[in-house]
Amino acid sequence: MSAARNIFRRVILVLLAAALGYSAYLMSAAGLARNQLPMPFGVGLATVESNSMVPTFARGDLLVVGASGKDDPAVGDVVVYRDPTIGLVVHRVVAVDGDLVTTQGDANNATDEPFDRSRVVGRVLLVIPMLGLLVGVLRTPLGVLALLAVTLLLAELPFRRHRDEEEDERERMRAEIAELKARRGSENDDRER
């Protein structure tokens, strides 16, 4: 049981350390590089922040976005693009005319203003419902501190428990030694009489 618990704790610690590293990366990419959607290895994570794509996506969903290729975008693709006034937008491509792309949110009645295909950042590959809320927290300094605290706590607790067990063992041994000394002293007293 103890071995399984140790393996589980180590897996959790590795996952927390990876989340902490990713969180620090996201914060530095957004803060230093002014990149709202960093895409290391051609893949990035975006959080849905509005309901314009309901029922396909809802606010708080996490989107896995792949970097756009030379053939992107195509009609029907759900893309992430940079709007100069509001930042990143996730909408479905409804028309492509040369370099002009027109998109529309699934819940919207009107299309967006056409824009140049160079503003397309990537195409949505996968959606994970509601996980975007957690990723949003991990992008904040307070979220990073909380994650760091949980990681340290999980790392420290087993060591503290082990130290306490060792101290209990030492106390037991001291008591046993004192008892043996007392017995030996009493045996010596008996022999001297």
Side-chain angles (χ1 to χ4, degrees), residues 81-173:
Y81 70 92
R82 293 188 198 290
D83 183 287
T85 57
I86 59 175
L88 295 178
V89 177
V90 179
H91 280 170
R92 188 175 306 279
V93 176
V94 293
V96 178
D97 184 16
D99 283 342
L100 285 180
V101 178
T102 305
T103 60
Q104 180 176 348
D106 289 355
N108 295 350
N109 294 327
T111 62
D112 304 322
E113 190 69 32
F115 57 88
D116 188 83
R117 88 172 42 238
S118 64
R119 292 189 6 212
V120 173
V121 176
R123 185 170 51 91
V124 175
L125 304 174
L126 176 71
V127 60
I128 306 170
M130 302 310 291
L131 193 58
L133 297 173
L134 177 62
V135 171
V137 169
L138 293 178
R139 290 183 180 192
T140 66
L142 187 58
V144 171
L145 288 175
L147 186 61
L148 182 59
V150 168
T151 304
L152 291 174
L153 185 67
L154 285 175
E156 175 63 22
L157 284 177
F159 293 116
R160 186 167 290 181
R161 188 178 317 123
H162 183 68
R163 187 180 63 219
D164 291 346
E165 288 171 358
E166 284 181 343
E167 185 60 34
D168 290 345
E169 180 67 17
R170 278 192 288 274
E171 283 299 318
R172 189 187 62 72
M173 291 175 78

Side-chain angles (χ1 to χ4, degrees), residues 11-79:
V11 167
I12 294 297
L13 282 172
V14 166
L15 292 175
L16 286 171
L20 188 61
Y22 182 70
S23 180
Y25 170 75
L26 288 177
M27 283 180 50
S28 65
L32 299 175
R34 303 277 189 245
N35 186 354
Q36 293 174 304
L37 184 59
M39 298 181 77
F41 311 110
V43 177
L45 299 176
T47 302
V48 178
E49 296 179 1
S50 77
N51 286 320
S52 68
M53 285 297 292
V54 168
T56 308
F57 311 128
R59 182 179 305 214
D61 288 351
L62 182 69
L63 304 177
V64 177
V65 180
S68 57
K70 66 179 187 174
D71 295 333
D72 286 344
V75 173
D77 287 348
V78 177
V79 297

